[in-house]
Amino acid sequence: IISEATGISQQGLGTPFAPGIWNDAQTEAWKPVVEQVHQAGGRIICQLWHMGRIVHPDFLDGEKPVSASATTAPGSVRTYLGKKDYAEARPLEVSEIPGLLDDYQNAAENALKAGFDGVQLHAANGYLIDQFIRSGTNLRTDEYGGSIENRIRLLGEVTQRLVDILGSDRVSVRLSPNGDSQGADDATPIETFTSAAKLLDKIGIAFLELREPPAHGTYGNTDVPRVSPNIRPVFKGPLVLNSDYFQENATAALAENKADAISFGRTFMTNPDLPERFRAGAELNPIDFTPTWYSQGPEGYIDYPTMEEKKAETA
Protein backbone atom coordinates (compact mmCIF):
# COMPACT_ATOMS: atom_id res chain seq x y z
CA ILE A 1 0.00 0.00 0.00
CA ILE A 2 1.20 3.50 -0.84
CA SER A 3 -0.27 5.96 1.65
CA GLU A 4 -2.16 9.05 0.62
CA ALA A 5 0.10 12.08 0.02
CA THR A 6 1.50 13.12 3.42
CA GLY A 7 2.93 16.55 4.20
CA ILE A 8 6.60 16.85 5.16
CA SER A 9 6.11 20.33 6.69
CA GLN A 10 3.50 23.00 7.26
CA GLN A 11 5.07 24.93 4.39
CA GLY A 12 4.34 22.02 2.08
CA LEU A 13 0.79 21.11 3.12
CA GLY A 14 -2.18 23.03 1.74
CA THR A 15 -5.12 20.62 1.73
CA PRO A 16 -7.68 20.76 4.56
CA PHE A 17 -7.62 17.72 6.87
CA ALA A 18 -4.72 16.12 4.97
CA PRO A 19 -2.19 14.17 7.06
CA GLY A 20 1.35 15.18 7.86
CA ILE A 21 4.36 13.41 9.32
CA TRP A 22 6.66 16.21 10.46
CA ASN A 23 5.99 16.11 14.22
CA ASP A 24 5.72 13.58 17.02
CA ALA A 25 1.92 13.72 17.31
CA GLN A 26 1.46 12.92 13.62
CA THR A 27 4.02 10.13 13.81
CA GLU A 28 2.22 8.56 16.76
CA ALA A 29 -1.14 8.85 14.97
CA TRP A 30 0.20 6.84 12.02
CA LYS A 31 1.34 3.91 14.18
CA PRO A 32 -2.05 2.15 14.55
CA VAL A 33 -2.70 2.55 10.82
CA VAL A 34 0.61 0.94 9.92
CA GLU A 35 0.14 -1.75 12.55
CA GLN A 36 -3.24 -2.77 11.12
CA VAL A 37 -1.65 -3.22 7.69
CA HIS A 38 1.14 -5.34 9.16
CA GLN A 39 -1.29 -7.46 11.16
CA ALA A 40 -3.09 -8.23 7.91
CA GLY A 41 0.18 -9.38 6.35
CA GLY A 42 0.65 -6.26 4.23
CA ARG A 43 3.35 -3.68 3.65
CA ILE A 44 2.85 0.09 3.53
CA ILE A 45 5.05 2.98 2.42
CA CYS A 46 4.56 6.68 3.18
CA GLN A 47 4.24 9.07 0.24
CA LEU A 48 6.17 12.24 1.13
CA TRP A 49 4.56 15.43 -0.19
CA HIS A 50 5.45 19.10 -0.60
CA MET A 51 2.81 20.95 -2.60
CA GLY A 52 4.88 24.03 -3.46
CA ARG A 53 2.79 26.75 -5.11
CA ILE A 54 -0.42 24.74 -4.59
CA VAL A 55 -0.36 25.78 -0.90
CA HIS A 56 -2.56 28.85 -0.31
CA PRO A 57 -1.25 31.60 2.03
CA ASP A 58 -4.16 30.80 4.37
CA PHE A 59 -2.19 27.73 5.44
CA LEU A 60 0.99 29.79 5.95
CA ASP A 61 -0.20 32.65 8.16
CA GLY A 62 -0.43 34.84 5.08
CA GLU A 63 3.06 34.09 3.77
CA LYS A 64 3.59 33.29 0.10
CA PRO A 65 4.00 29.63 -0.89
CA VAL A 66 7.32 28.54 -2.37
CA SER A 67 7.99 27.18 -5.84
CA ALA A 68 10.76 26.99 -8.41
CA SER A 69 9.80 30.47 -9.65
CA ALA A 70 7.35 33.32 -9.07
CA THR A 71 4.37 31.70 -10.79
CA THR A 72 0.71 31.17 -9.97
CA ALA A 73 -1.26 27.95 -10.34
CA PRO A 74 -4.47 28.26 -12.35
CA GLY A 75 -7.87 28.12 -10.71
CA SER A 76 -8.82 27.97 -7.05
CA VAL A 77 -8.18 25.81 -4.00
CA ARG A 78 -10.15 24.67 -0.97
CA THR A 79 -9.05 26.21 2.31
CA TYR A 80 -10.57 26.02 5.77
CA LEU A 81 -12.21 29.36 4.94
CA GLY A 82 -13.70 28.23 1.64
CA LYS A 83 -12.52 28.28 -1.98
CA LYS A 84 -9.94 30.89 -2.91
CA ASP A 85 -7.86 31.68 -5.98
CA TYR A 86 -4.27 30.49 -5.92
CA ALA A 87 -1.68 33.10 -4.99
CA GLU A 88 1.63 33.84 -6.64
CA ALA A 89 4.49 31.82 -5.20
CA ARG A 90 7.94 33.11 -4.39
CA PRO A 91 11.04 31.35 -5.73
CA LEU A 92 12.65 29.00 -3.22
CA GLU A 93 16.04 30.49 -2.38
CA VAL A 94 19.13 28.34 -2.95
CA SER A 95 19.98 28.96 0.70
CA GLU A 96 16.66 27.35 1.70
CA ILE A 97 17.28 24.06 -0.12
CA PRO A 98 19.38 22.47 2.67
CA GLY A 99 16.44 23.11 5.02
CA LEU A 100 14.06 21.51 2.52
CA LEU A 101 16.29 18.44 2.36
CA ASP A 102 16.26 18.33 6.16
CA ASP A 103 12.44 18.43 6.11
CA TYR A 104 12.36 15.41 3.79
CA GLN A 105 14.87 13.61 6.01
CA ASN A 106 12.85 14.38 9.15
CA ALA A 107 9.67 13.08 7.51
CA ALA A 108 11.43 9.91 6.33
CA GLU A 109 12.84 9.27 9.80
CA ASN A 110 9.40 9.80 11.31
CA ALA A 111 7.96 7.33 8.79
CA LEU A 112 10.42 4.73 10.06
CA LYS A 113 9.47 5.54 13.66
CA ALA A 114 5.81 5.05 12.74
CA GLY A 115 6.64 1.62 11.35
CA PHE A 116 6.33 2.29 7.62
CA ASP A 117 8.22 -0.14 5.41
CA GLY A 118 9.58 2.65 3.21
CA VAL A 119 8.75 5.97 1.59
CA GLN A 120 7.81 7.31 -1.82
CA LEU A 121 8.91 10.75 -2.98
CA HIS A 122 5.91 12.51 -4.54
CA ALA A 123 7.61 14.26 -7.48
CA ALA A 124 4.50 14.36 -9.68
CA ASN A 125 1.19 16.09 -10.43
CA GLY A 126 2.41 19.68 -10.47
CA TYR A 127 3.65 19.79 -6.86
CA LEU A 128 6.99 21.24 -5.68
CA ILE A 129 9.48 18.76 -7.16
CA ASP A 130 7.48 18.66 -10.39
CA GLN A 131 7.44 22.47 -10.46
CA PHE A 132 11.24 22.36 -10.52
CA ILE A 133 11.36 19.61 -13.15
CA ARG A 134 9.07 21.22 -15.74
CA SER A 135 10.19 24.09 -17.96
CA GLY A 136 6.79 25.79 -17.79
CA THR A 137 7.05 26.41 -14.04
CA ASN A 138 10.85 26.56 -13.62
CA LEU A 139 12.04 29.93 -14.94
CA ARG A 140 15.21 30.01 -12.85
CA THR A 141 18.63 31.00 -14.16
CA ASP A 142 20.73 29.48 -11.34
CA GLU A 143 21.98 25.91 -10.90
CA TYR A 144 18.39 24.69 -10.37
CA GLY A 145 16.98 26.09 -13.62
CA GLY A 146 17.48 26.32 -17.36
CA SER A 147 18.88 23.02 -18.63
CA ILE A 148 17.20 19.68 -17.98
CA GLU A 149 20.17 18.68 -15.84
CA ASN A 150 19.61 21.70 -13.62
CA ARG A 151 15.82 21.31 -13.45
CA ILE A 152 16.09 17.70 -12.22
CA ARG A 153 18.82 18.58 -9.72
CA LEU A 154 16.42 18.99 -6.78
CA LEU A 155 14.75 15.67 -7.61
CA GLY A 156 18.17 14.00 -7.43
CA GLU A 157 19.20 15.72 -4.22
CA VAL A 158 16.01 14.83 -2.36
CA THR A 159 16.06 11.24 -3.62
CA GLN A 160 19.72 10.84 -2.64
CA ARG A 161 19.03 12.17 0.86
CA LEU A 162 16.17 9.68 1.29
CA VAL A 163 18.34 6.81 0.02
CA ASP A 164 21.14 7.83 2.39
CA ILE A 165 18.70 7.62 5.32
CA LEU A 166 16.59 4.57 4.43
CA GLY A 167 18.56 2.65 1.81
CA SER A 168 17.71 2.28 -1.87
CA ASP A 169 15.41 -0.70 -1.23
CA ARG A 170 13.05 1.45 0.88
CA VAL A 171 12.76 4.51 -1.40
CA SER A 172 10.58 4.89 -4.50
CA VAL A 173 9.67 7.91 -6.62
CA ARG A 174 6.47 8.97 -8.39
CA LEU A 175 6.64 11.05 -11.59
CA SER A 176 3.85 12.19 -13.91
CA PRO A 177 4.96 12.60 -17.54
CA ASN A 178 1.36 13.21 -18.58
CA GLY A 179 1.15 16.74 -19.93
CA ASP A 180 -0.29 19.63 -17.96
CA SER A 181 -0.64 18.94 -14.23
CA GLN A 182 -2.21 21.78 -12.25
CA GLY A 183 -0.72 24.27 -14.69
CA ALA A 184 2.73 22.66 -14.72
CA ASP A 185 3.88 21.54 -18.16
CA ASP A 186 7.10 20.90 -20.04
CA ALA A 187 8.24 21.80 -23.54
CA THR A 188 10.23 18.57 -24.06
CA PRO A 189 8.61 15.91 -21.85
CA ILE A 190 10.34 12.91 -23.44
CA GLU A 191 13.81 14.38 -22.98
CA THR A 192 13.04 15.81 -19.53
CA PHE A 193 11.47 12.74 -17.94
CA THR A 194 13.84 10.27 -19.60
CA SER A 195 16.72 12.26 -18.09
CA ALA A 196 14.97 12.17 -14.71
CA ALA A 197 14.58 8.39 -14.99
CA LYS A 198 18.28 8.00 -15.87
CA LEU A 199 19.21 10.03 -12.80
CA LEU A 200 17.00 7.91 -10.55
CA ASP A 201 18.45 4.74 -12.07
CA LYS A 202 21.95 5.99 -11.28
CA ILE A 203 21.02 6.76 -7.67
CA GLY A 204 19.21 3.44 -7.30
CA ILE A 205 15.67 3.20 -5.95
CA ALA A 206 13.23 0.40 -5.13
CA PHE A 207 10.85 1.27 -7.98
CA LEU A 208 9.68 4.14 -10.17
CA GLU A 209 5.96 4.84 -10.49
CA LEU A 210 4.62 6.86 -13.43
CA ARG A 211 1.20 8.49 -13.49
CA GLU A 212 0.70 8.18 -17.24
CA PRO A 213 -2.90 7.40 -18.15
CA PRO A 214 -3.66 5.49 -21.35
CA ALA A 215 -4.72 7.82 -24.18
CA HIS A 216 -8.32 6.59 -24.00
CA GLY A 217 -8.67 6.96 -20.22
CA THR A 218 -10.38 9.62 -18.14
CA TYR A 219 -7.15 11.63 -17.90
CA GLY A 220 -5.72 10.43 -21.22
CA ASN A 221 -4.73 13.01 -23.81
CA THR A 222 -3.90 11.87 -27.32
CA ASP A 223 -1.95 15.11 -27.88
CA VAL A 224 0.56 14.24 -25.14
CA PRO A 225 3.38 11.88 -26.17
CA ARG A 226 3.73 8.76 -24.06
CA VAL A 227 7.04 8.91 -22.24
CA SER A 228 7.09 5.49 -20.54
CA PRO A 229 8.34 3.64 -23.68
CA ASN A 230 11.43 5.87 -23.55
CA ILE A 231 11.85 5.42 -19.81
CA ARG A 232 11.54 1.63 -19.92
CA PRO A 233 14.99 1.06 -21.56
CA VAL A 234 16.91 3.51 -19.33
CA PHE A 235 15.43 2.70 -15.91
CA LYS A 236 16.60 -0.78 -14.95
CA GLY A 237 14.62 -1.13 -11.73
CA PRO A 238 10.95 -2.09 -11.43
CA LEU A 239 8.66 0.27 -13.38
CA VAL A 240 5.07 0.79 -12.22
CA LEU A 241 2.36 2.46 -14.31
CA ASN A 242 -0.70 4.14 -12.82
CA SER A 243 -4.03 5.84 -13.59
CA ASP A 244 -7.04 4.70 -15.61
CA TYR A 245 -6.00 1.05 -15.55
CA PHE A 246 -8.47 -1.78 -15.14
CA GLN A 247 -8.05 -5.52 -15.43
CA GLU A 248 -7.95 -5.77 -19.22
CA ASN A 249 -5.58 -2.94 -20.09
CA ALA A 250 -3.44 -3.58 -17.00
CA THR A 251 -2.99 -7.23 -17.96
CA ALA A 252 -2.15 -6.19 -21.52
CA ALA A 253 0.44 -3.66 -20.35
CA LEU A 254 2.19 -6.33 -18.29
CA ALA A 255 2.00 -8.92 -21.07
CA GLU A 256 3.56 -6.43 -23.49
CA ASN A 257 6.37 -5.67 -20.98
CA LYS A 258 5.40 -2.02 -20.73
CA ALA A 259 5.78 -2.21 -16.95
CA ASP A 260 6.55 -4.60 -14.11
CA ALA A 261 3.42 -3.69 -12.15
CA ILE A 262 0.29 -1.57 -12.30
CA SER A 263 -0.89 0.43 -9.30
CA PHE A 264 -4.51 1.27 -8.56
CA GLY A 265 -5.89 4.24 -6.61
CA ARG A 266 -9.57 5.20 -6.90
CA THR A 267 -10.40 1.72 -8.22
CA PHE A 268 -9.00 0.16 -5.05
CA MET A 269 -10.70 2.70 -2.79
CA THR A 270 -14.09 1.81 -4.23
CA ASN A 271 -13.38 -1.92 -4.41
CA PRO A 272 -11.68 -3.10 -1.21
CA ASP A 273 -11.51 -6.64 -2.64
CA LEU A 274 -10.19 -5.55 -6.05
CA PRO A 275 -7.86 -8.57 -6.60
CA GLU A 276 -10.72 -10.98 -5.88
CA ARG A 277 -13.00 -9.09 -8.27
CA PHE A 278 -10.35 -9.28 -10.99
CA ARG A 279 -9.91 -13.03 -10.42
CA ALA A 280 -13.66 -13.58 -10.60
CA GLY A 281 -14.25 -11.19 -13.49
CA ALA A 282 -16.80 -9.46 -11.27
CA GLU A 283 -18.38 -6.07 -11.83
CA LEU A 284 -16.70 -3.14 -10.06
CA ASN A 285 -18.41 -0.71 -7.73
CA PRO A 286 -19.01 2.66 -9.43
CA ILE A 287 -17.03 5.60 -8.05
CA ASP A 288 -19.14 8.15 -6.19
CA PHE A 289 -17.00 11.24 -6.74
CA THR A 290 -18.59 14.53 -5.77
CA PRO A 291 -20.49 13.97 -2.51
CA THR A 292 -17.76 12.13 -0.65
CA TRP A 293 -14.33 13.28 -1.86
CA TYR A 294 -12.44 15.24 0.79
CA SER A 295 -15.14 14.71 3.39
CA GLN A 296 -14.17 13.69 6.92
CA GLY A 297 -16.56 10.78 7.53
CA PRO A 298 -16.41 7.12 6.52
CA GLU A 299 -18.81 7.57 3.58
CA GLY A 300 -17.03 7.08 0.29
CA TYR A 301 -13.87 5.79 1.96
CA ILE A 302 -14.56 2.63 3.97
CA ASP A 303 -18.18 1.85 3.17
CA TYR A 304 -17.91 0.46 -0.37
CA PRO A 305 -19.09 -3.18 -0.18
CA THR A 306 -17.04 -6.26 -0.99
CA MET A 307 -18.52 -8.88 -3.33
CA GLU A 308 -19.56 -10.99 -0.34
CA GLU A 309 -21.18 -8.04 1.41
CA LYS A 310 -23.06 -7.17 -1.76
CA LYS A 311 -24.31 -10.74 -2.14
CA ALA A 312 -25.50 -10.79 1.46
CA GLU A 313 -27.22 -7.43 0.99
CA THR A 314 -28.96 -8.63 -2.17
CA ALA A 315 -30.05 -11.84 -0.47
Side-chain angles (χ1 to χ4, degrees):
I1 294 175
I2 302 171
S3 79
E4 64 177 303
T6 304
I8 64 163
S9 64
Q10 184 58 71
Q11 182 196 66
L13 188 62
T15 295
F17 307 108
I21 195 162
W22 66 81
N23 62 38
D24 291 341
Q26 294 163 339
T27 303
E28 287 298 315
W30 273 111
K31 287 182 178 180
V33 177
V34 173
E35 180 58 26
Q36 286 291 309
V37 174
H38 288 163
Q39 286 182 10
R43 296 289 180 267
I44 182 169
I45 62 178
C46 185
Q47 189 182 71
L48 304 181
W49 195 31
H50 191 302
M51 298 171 68
R53 69 177 188 169
I54 306 300
V55 180
H56 191 273
D58 279 5
F59 294 91
L60 306 172
D61 294 325
E63 296 290 324
K64 283 189 171 186
V66 299
S67 183
S69 304
T71 60
T72 306
S76 59
V77 62
R78 290 171 61 255
T79 76
Y80 289 111
L81 301 176
K83 272 203 167 187
K84 295 190 178 183
D85 289 342
Y86 285 108
E88 184 181 68
R90 66 171 180 83
L92 189 70
E93 300 287 343
V94 172
S95 61
E96 295 176 281
I97 288 178
L100 177 69
L101 297 178
D102 289 344
D103 286 343
Y104 274 104
Q105 176 173 336
N106 174 63
E109 290 173 341
N110 284 344
L112 286 184
K113 291 176 186 175
F116 281 100
D117 300 291
V119 301
Q120 181 179 77
L121 172 61
H122 195 329
N125 299 11
Y127 296 117
L128 181 67
I129 304 298
D130 205 21
Q131 292 160 26
F132 270 81
I133 292 173
R134 300 192 192 222
S135 61
T137 44
N138 187 336
L139 312 177
R140 302 172 75 101
T141 57
D142 58 17
E143 63 266 40
Y144 289 92
S147 67
I148 292 174
E149 179 184 12
N150 284 355
R151 286 187 278 114
I152 64 175
R153 188 184 304 277
L154 184 61
L155 166 70
E157 289 179 350
V158 176
T159 303
Q160 188 63 63
R161 177 67 73 91
L162 295 176
V163 167
D164 289 345
I165 299 303
L166 277 72
S168 60
D169 60 333
R170 291 180 182 266
V171 175
S172 63
V173 175
R174 176 177 173 88
L175 298 173
S176 56
N178 58 353
D180 183 289
S181 289
Q182 302 193 89
D185 210 345
D186 190 76
T188 57
I190 292 177
E191 293 83 352
T192 296
F193 286 100
T194 300
S195 297
K198 286 180 181 177
L199 175 61
L200 296 173
D201 185 71
K202 183 179 179 181
I203 293 172
I205 57 175
F207 66 89
L208 173 61
E209 183 187 28
L210 304 179
R211 182 174 184 264
E212 189 187 47
H216 61 272
T218 306
Y219 295 98
N221 187 336
T222 54
D223 297 326
V224 176
R226 289 187 64 75
V227 179
S228 57
N230 299 85
I231 288 177
R232 189 67 163 145
V234 302
F235 183 77
K236 307 304 181 186
L239 183 66
V240 182
L241 295 183
N242 169 252
S243 195
D244 280 335
Y245 281 97
F246 298 93
Q247 184 175 12
E248 187 175 344
N249 61 349
T251 303
L254 297 179
E256 295 163 14
N257 197 34
K258 292 180 179 179
D260 298 291
I262 305 295
S263 62
F264 298 90
R266 295 163 311 195
T267 317
F268 229 133
M269 187 174 75
T270 53
N271 298 276
D273 54 349
L274 187 65
E276 287 72 23
R277 286 175 186 262
F278 280 173
R279 289 188 190 103
E283 184 180 351
L284 301 183
N285 290 323
I287 300 172
D288 188 10
F289 286 102
T290 310
T292 59
W293 275 33
Y294 307 113
S295 61
Q296 283 72 69
E299 186 183 4
Y301 288 91
I302 60 170
D303 62 344
Y304 282 94
T306 64
M307 286 189 296
E308 292 304 316
E309 288 169 343
K310 207 163 187 177
K311 283 179 186 174
E313 184 183 293
T314 305

